Amino acid sequence: MPKEYKTPMLDELEKGPWPSFVKEIKLAAKKNVMSNDLLGLLERSYNERLGHWKHGGIVGVFGYGGGVIGRYTDLPEEYPEISHFHTLRINQPSGWFYTTEALRTLCDIWDRHGSGLTNMHGSTGDIIFLGTKTDELEPIFKELTEAGFDLGGSGSDMRTPSCCVGPGRCEWACYDTLQRCYDITMKYQDELHRPAFPYKWKFKFSGCPNDCVAAIARADISIIGTWKDDIKMDQAEVKKYAENGVDIFNDVVLNCPAKCMKYDGDKLEINNNDCRRCMHCINVMPKALRPGDDKGAIVLIGAKAPIVEGALLSSVLIPFLNIDDDEEFEDFCDLVEEMQDVWCEEGKNRERVGEFIQRVGMGNFLEAVGVEPIPEMIAYPRDNPYIFFEMDEDEEEEEE
Amino acid sequence: MAKTIEEIADFMFKQVSEAQEVSKKLKPGDLTKLAIKAFGDEGVDKKMGKMAIKELVLSGKCVYTYFGGSFLELPHREGAAND
Amino acid sequence: MLDVMKDRITDIGPPDFKEYLPPAVKKNYGQWKYHEILEAGVLVHVAESGDKLYTVRCGSPRLVSTTSILFYTEIADKYCDGFLRFTSRHNVEFLTTEFDNVAKIKAEMTEYGNPVGGTGPSITSIVHTQGWVHCHSAATDASGVVKAVMDDLFEYFNEMKLPAKCRIALACCLNMCGAVHCSDIAILGIHTAYPRIDHENLNKLCEIPNISASCPTAAIRPATVDGKPSVELIEEQCMYCANCFTVCPAMPLADPVADGISLWVGGKVSNARSEPKFSKLAVPFIPNNPPRWPEVTSAIRKMVEVWAENARPYERMGEWIDRVGWPRFFKLTGFEFSKMHIDDFKYAGLSFKRSAQITHE
């Protein structure tokens, strides 16, 4: 008989309108002793205001260096079923689309080999299988790969790329996020499974500047859709929005960051030459305004959360890339590999590429990877005179 | 002269073993750099370094570990494991 | 060859997403024309072909049992030709070409406990981390705080009555697995006690130069303690980030009293109107108070209400604060402003008020 835990603290979190994770743990606990012990341990954490987990560093599946996060409770005698409670990251399909058949297969594998608890999905985008024992890792891996799934990244490797819903269900997708996310994932399977970098490396693909996967905040390479030509406009639909109560002057025109719109109460005008492609006017009136036809992506580099040297947002590396074009995509991949080479050569342990660029200087980084500096890359030129002038070789020789 | 993947893997294994004796951890990238330093550019390139690491792991001689970053170590008991 | 290598399948990657797309998505792939929000949580996407695809977006606790996933598959089999998807913020979405199915999906999912909402100017699911459920370095729980906050803000999930969308995210320590640092409201677990150095075991478990290098403020130096190689901590330089603990388990710093939550405000990732920006410190520390963290939920409600009342339409939290200024934010919320709010890390000077443009509160 599994132990029966009294959980008054957690029971409180079964109440209320928002879906309850306690209900989920209890559902899993009905079928599974690990989840039952998790319930007991979590109630204890709520009472003590303290977590009870130790970080493993060595468990994994044979041959891979990522995809499994080792976890052990520090109270194994009292909660023996979760003495081991490892996480598996499973690479999600692009855009998190599933057939019910695939989900049933995943649930079946997980019910037989693990806690029956998941995250759909983790912050990385992966399917998370939450809690299993060391001995179950190989059988799970075997069944997953036979079912067509593979592990995602963890540690100092290429992390599982993720993308927005893109052309699958969004009129604003400026490139095929689903396809390019899949392509990158397949091209770099070795980098994803066998950590060989100074630290993690993330790709995130957003189809437009609304950036639904937060690429600019957290991906080392943030690929954000944009367009070059004019915003497509349907004046009749603009009129309908106005009739239906949209305050076009105040809510659309005045909110334009480029001040490139005019509205005379009848017609909307856009000076597309000044448009920054911020998406606001399109967001407000999706039936009347749409991105143009000459679509592609902006590639930005270097975002990360605070650890170690402080948080960074990505900054522009390539202002426009026709990423749907196979040749341009291949050239982009070559550049990525070049950047990774430079970073692997010179980067310090646990130094993200954004931090690396901060340390060596963006100008030097661009030079090392063979990219020309252009004004699109900066918010403004330097405002200090501490310039490291580089003399050309002849001059240097003369000085000597 | 180019080294064989086995020779490079043996060299790397020795590096990992010696490092572990003084409780130092090496990253896969460190191992490739050490091999290039020892055998020269003609002896080893990055691709061969990668293949040698794969060989080390698939032979069971070394395992990937994670402590804030990823390392290559001799298989050992998990520090955090419960008996 | 080792036994484990026999018939081993590796490096196959994820399934090809094209196999998992519903027929209507496959047919109209890249050919969507526009969309409308029909009601909170219900979208219709209209394709160039004239096809209509309805989406019902349901809130999820993110921590989901296989039992519930199997329930979702039943709904999808019944109404959505056996397909469903999840969103970047952990919601589960049911896509159907039959408008009549919308109400049925909504009813069945709501009945099961997954309410419908989170579209347009609303508060949708909170992106979050593992907390006490699974993390070794958590300074607070994640799922429980999220549940308490969303219960409290539920009226903003299933109704669209805010000036703009409001994105909330939670990370249970400074590692920020959830990259919460560009959210309208970020809930961040924070330690405030120094790491306790286990000199006896440190050298066995950890590599000393790695520990020193892990510290953002260079507070950790190699030292010999009781004849054993170890490290020493310069306490004045420690800001409890727990990065040393991440590389070395012999430096734990979790503490029932000293761990808690900080609140950050005004970040965004979208480029709409203003450029993406980081969230800024609103409340430095609130002690953990499980199971419902009432001090946290009320501080968040305060921020949401003050913003909702004062912002212009489409103005995100950070855009509103940028317009009216931080003195107004602190006045209206009643949050105490202290020395802790003034940056003292790299480039701190950039955050000082360097102009004579000022409001009088």
Side-chain angles (χ1 to χ4, degrees):
Chain A
M1 268 302 278
K3 267 194 224 173
E4 219 174 286
Y5 295 103
K6 291 256 181 300
T7 56
M9 285 277 227
L10 294 177
D11 295 350
E12 171 58 32
L13 291 172
E14 278 187 286
K15 300 170 196 162
W18 189 248
S20 168
F21 71 103
V22 176
K23 171 184 136 181
E24 299 295 326
I25 300 176
K26 286 188 176 178
L27 282 171
K30 276 188 196 163
K31 302 196 279 194
N32 186 294
V33 285
M34 297 181 87
S35 292
N36 188 55
D37 266 8
L38 178 69
L39 197 64
L41 182 73
L42 191 60
E43 178 72 14
R44 179 165 178 155
S45 284
Y46 268 62
N47 279 306
E48 295 179 354
R49 304 178 188 200
L50 208 57
H52 281 289
W53 298 103
K54 293 187 286 180
H55 192 320
I58 203 165
V59 291
V61 301
F62 188 76
Y64 281 12
V68 178
I69 320 293
R71 209 55 104 224
Y72 305 86
T73 178
D74 63 2
L75 300 167
E77 284 81 24
E78 287 159 86
Y79 305 93
E81 300 295 342
I82 49 173
S83 169
H84 303 197
F85 203 66
H86 312 313
T87 307
L88 288 107
R89 289 186 184 162
I90 297 145
N91 201 146
Q92 81 286 4
S94 280
W96 303 286
F97 281 99
Y98 294 92
T99 59
T100 52
E101 193 194 340
L103 285 175
R104 280 192 295 268
T105 304
L106 290 170
C107 288
D108 174 58
I109 295 171
W110 191 228
D111 275 336
R112 284 184 289 106
H113 294 293
S115 71
L117 283 171
T118 74
N119 293 144
M120 297 299 277
H121 295 77
S123 302
T124 52
D126 294 280
I127 304 160
I128 305 292
F129 279 1
L130 203 62
T132 192
K133 296 175 169 35
T134 305
D135 289 345
E136 297 286 358
L137 294 172
E138 284 296 330
I140 293 170
F141 181 69
K142 185 167 190 294
E143 291 195 32
L144 279 174
T145 50
E146 280 167 2
F149 284 88
D150 199 344
L151 296 190
S154 68
S156 307
D157 64 8
M158 186 182 93
R159 297 302 185 83
T160 310
S162 78
C163 63
C164 69
V165 70
R169 198 208 48 200
C170 185
E171 67 270 26
W172 298 330
C174 292
Y175 68 96
D176 196 340
T177 53
L178 300 171
Q179 186 64 47
R180 284 316 186 210
C181 178
Y182 181 67
D183 294 337
I184 284 275
T185 310
M186 297 308 281
K187 189 177 169 80
Y188 296 117
Q189 282 291 295
D190 188 51
E191 285 73 11
L192 202 156
H193 292 134
R194 294 170 195 88
F197 293 148
Y199 204 19
K200 61 185 99 170
W201 176 285
K202 297 181 178 179
F203 284 101
K204 305 237 177 262
F205 299 82
S206 279
C208 84
N210 284 325
D211 196 0
C212 285
V213 289
I216 203 163
R218 56 194 185 133
D220 298 274
I221 294 288
S222 322
I223 302 162
I224 300 177
T226 189
W227 67 96
K228 274 174 140 172
D229 54 344
D230 293 358
I231 290 178
K232 292 196 274 190
M233 188 156 46
D234 182 335
Q235 292 288 358
E237 291 293 343
V238 173
K239 216 168 249 175
K240 276 192 207 161
Y241 275 107
E243 283 162 14
N244 290 327
V246 175
D247 183 344
I248 293 182
F249 181 73
N250 278 305
D251 293 348
V252 181
V253 174
L254 284 188
N255 273 323
C256 172
K259 299 185 173 65
C260 71
M261 305 183 97
K262 266 193 207 163
Y263 182 64
D264 61 5
D266 179 46
K267 272 186 114 163
L268 185 66
E269 263 180 71
I270 302 174
N271 173 3
N272 278 279
N273 202 31
D274 290 350
C275 169
R276 297 181 192 171
R277 280 108 188 135
C278 84
M279 288 301 289
H280 174 72
C281 58
I282 298 175
N283 290 343
V284 178
M285 302 190 288
K287 251 172 134 167
L289 303 174
R290 303 166 68 190
D293 290 317
D294 190 2
K295 296 174 185 172
I298 306 177
V299 179
L300 305 96
I301 186 166
K304 57 179 290 295
I307 298 296
V308 182
E309 295 287 333
L312 295 169
L313 292 170
S314 280
S315 67
V316 174
L317 182 71
I318 306 172
F320 190 85
L321 177 75
N322 182 6
I323 193 170
D324 282 337
D325 177 83
D326 287 337
E327 217 167 287
E328 289 205 23
F329 179 64
E330 278 310 313
D331 289 347
F332 161 69
C333 291
D334 289 346
L335 175 63
V336 164
E337 289 166 35
E338 183 63 36
M339 293 191 293
Q340 288 174 342
D341 269 354
V342 169
W343 173 54
C344 285
E345 196 61 45
E346 309 286 341
K348 294 196 280 196
N349 183 28
R350 303 186 78 232
E351 184 175 52
R352 294 280 287 270
V353 73
E355 288 163 318
F356 173 66
I357 291 171
Q358 294 279 316
R359 179 163 64 84
V360 303
M362 179 61 97
N364 293 331
F365 177 77
L366 292 172
E367 204 167 66
V369 299
V371 173
E372 281 295 313
I374 48 171
E376 282 81 354
M377 294 172 175
I378 53 162
Y380 51 85
R382 77 161 70 229
D383 53 10
N384 66 68
Y386 303 160
I387 310 169
F388 294 96
F389 282 101
E390 285 170 19
M391 311 288 186
D392 62 42
E393 278 171 21
D394 291 348
E395 274 177 283
E396 269 179 82
E397 274 168 26
E398 274 169 35
E399 276 183 355
E400 281 168 11
Chain B
M1 214 188 73
K3 294 281 166 191
T4 65
I5 301 301
E6 285 72 30
E7 283 172 306
I8 303 166
D10 285 345
F11 169 81
M12 287 177 167
F13 180 69
K14 217 174 134 227
Q15 299 298 314
V16 172
S17 311
E18 283 170 10
Q20 211 140 322
E21 269 171 40
V22 291
S23 44
K24 193 168 151 48
K25 290 182 179 42
L26 292 170
K27 298 181 78 65
D30 301 335
L31 286 170
T32 303
K33 279 183 203 163
L34 286 169
I36 293 172
K37 206 171 152 196
F39 299 128
D41 284 340
E42 352 33 276
V44 190
D45 61 24
K46 282 178 191 161
K47 209 173 151 200
M48 291 160 80
K50 241 181 178 180
M51 285 163 73
I53 287 165
K54 202 166 173 181
E55 172 68 31
L56 271 182
V57 172
L58 289 182
S59 67
K61 283 173 145 175
C62 287
V63 290
Y64 286 105
T65 62
Y66 175 83
F67 292 94
S70 299
F71 301 93
L72 218 61
E73 295 184 57
L74 306 184
H76 60 85
R77 191 185 166 277
E78 175 91 286
N82 301 317
D83 291 316
Chain C
M1 189 173 69
L2 294 167
D3 262 4
V4 63
M5 290 309 291
K6 199 168 163 279
D7 300 325
R8 191 176 187 79
I9 306 169
T10 69
D11 300 278
I12 57 169
D16 187 341
F17 66 97
K18 293 189 277 300
E19 310 291 319
Y20 289 179
L21 299 177
V25 165
K26 233 176 192 170
K27 182 184 163 202
N28 298 295
Y29 194 85
Q31 299 297 317
W32 298 104
K33 197 172 170 199
Y34 66 89
H35 78 275
E36 289 177 283
I37 303 173
L38 300 179
E39 56 178 292
V42 180
L43 305 164
V44 59
H45 285 81
V46 181
E48 300 281 3
S49 68
D51 287 359
K52 287 182 174 178
L53 182 66
Y54 300 93
T55 297
V56 183
R57 180 176 295 170
C58 308
S60 152
R62 188 183 94 126
L63 177 57
V64 188
S65 65
T66 50
T67 310
S68 290
I69 297 173
L70 292 172
F71 177 77
Y72 304 161
T73 67
E74 279 173 36
I75 300 287
D77 281 338
K78 222 152 126 187
Y79 303 114
C80 310
D81 304 315
F83 297 87
L84 60 86
R85 75 174 291 263
F86 295 84
T87 72
S88 57
R89 299 189 80 86
H90 317 313
N91 296 300
V92 55
E93 284 186 343
F94 297 93
L95 280 51
T96 174
T97 49
E98 299 294 325
F99 179 68
D100 289 348
N101 286 340
V102 169
K104 295 176 192 163
I105 295 167
K106 202 177 157 180
E108 289 204 38
M109 285 300 288
T110 308
E111 166 74 22
Y112 188 75
N114 294 68
V116 172
T119 52
S122 70
I123 293 176
T124 189
S125 298
I126 296 180
V127 167
H128 64 97
T129 55
Q130 303 289 18
W132 292 333
V133 170
H134 206 240
C135 188
H136 66 295
S137 64
T140 185
D141 189 33
S143 309
V145 182
V146 164
K147 165 76 173 145
V149 171
M150 283 308 284
D151 276 345
D152 186 58
L153 297 177
F154 189 69
E155 60 185 298
Y156 300 111
F157 172 78
N158 68 349
E159 288 178 64
M160 300 185 288
K161 56 181 182 183
L162 291 169
K165 59 182 166 189
C166 177
R167 294 284 180 256
I168 308 181
L170 179 147
C172 50
C173 81
L174 268 60
N175 264 306
M176 282 197 198
C177 296
V180 304
H181 55 293
C182 293
S183 308
D184 293 277
I185 298 174
I187 308 167
L188 180 64
I190 206 151
H191 301 283
T192 64
Y194 302 122
R196 302 177 294 272
I197 306 168
D198 176 3
H199 295 294
E200 188 64 32
N201 294 306
L202 185 134
N203 192 42
K204 277 183 262 170
L205 291 168
C206 320
E207 191 184 330
I208 288 167
N210 262 350
I211 309 174
S212 296
S214 76
C215 180
T217 58
I220 301 171
R221 289 193 299 218
T224 304
V225 180
D226 297 333
K228 290 199 173 74
S230 185
V231 296
E232 65 180 3
L233 180 74
I234 308 162
E235 292 189 346
E236 312 81 79
Q237 272 166 248
C238 174
M239 42 68 185
Y240 333 102
C241 72
N243 206 27
C244 51
F245 176 62
T246 301
V247 300
C248 179
M251 300 188 67
L253 72 174
D255 183 280
V257 178
D259 290 354
I261 281 174
S262 56
L263 297 175
W264 304 70
V265 66
K268 71 196 273 279
V269 291
S270 151
N271 285 269
R273 299 167 307 281
S274 59
E275 293 183 339
K277 48 179 152 257
F278 290 129
S279 315
K280 320 291 194 293
L281 182 63
V283 182
F285 186 78
I286 302 173
N288 279 319
N289 190 2
R292 285 214 169 258
W293 281 267
E295 299 82 1
V296 172
T297 58
S298 72
I300 291 175
R301 172 164 279 274
K302 187 80 206 172
M303 286 191 272
V304 170
E305 282 177 351
V306 157
W307 162 67
E309 201 175 308
N310 291 282
R312 292 176 181 164
Y314 300 99
E315 212 167 39
R316 296 273 294 263
M317 184 83 77
E319 294 170 318
W320 166 64
I321 300 172
D322 279 352
R323 180 168 59 81
V324 302
W326 286 96
R328 181 80 48 86
F329 172 81
F330 282 99
K331 185 187 172 202
L332 289 176
T333 54
F335 295 160
E336 186 193 349
F337 185 82
S338 71
K339 178 183 165 189
M340 280 180 274
H341 288 89
I342 304 176
D343 193 4
D344 48 17
F345 194 52
K346 283 185 224 168
Y347 320 119
L350 297 174
S351 70
F352 302 165
K353 181 74 174 174
R354 300 176 299 167
S355 89
Q357 294 186 4
I358 209 144
T359 56
H360 294 281
E361 301 300 326

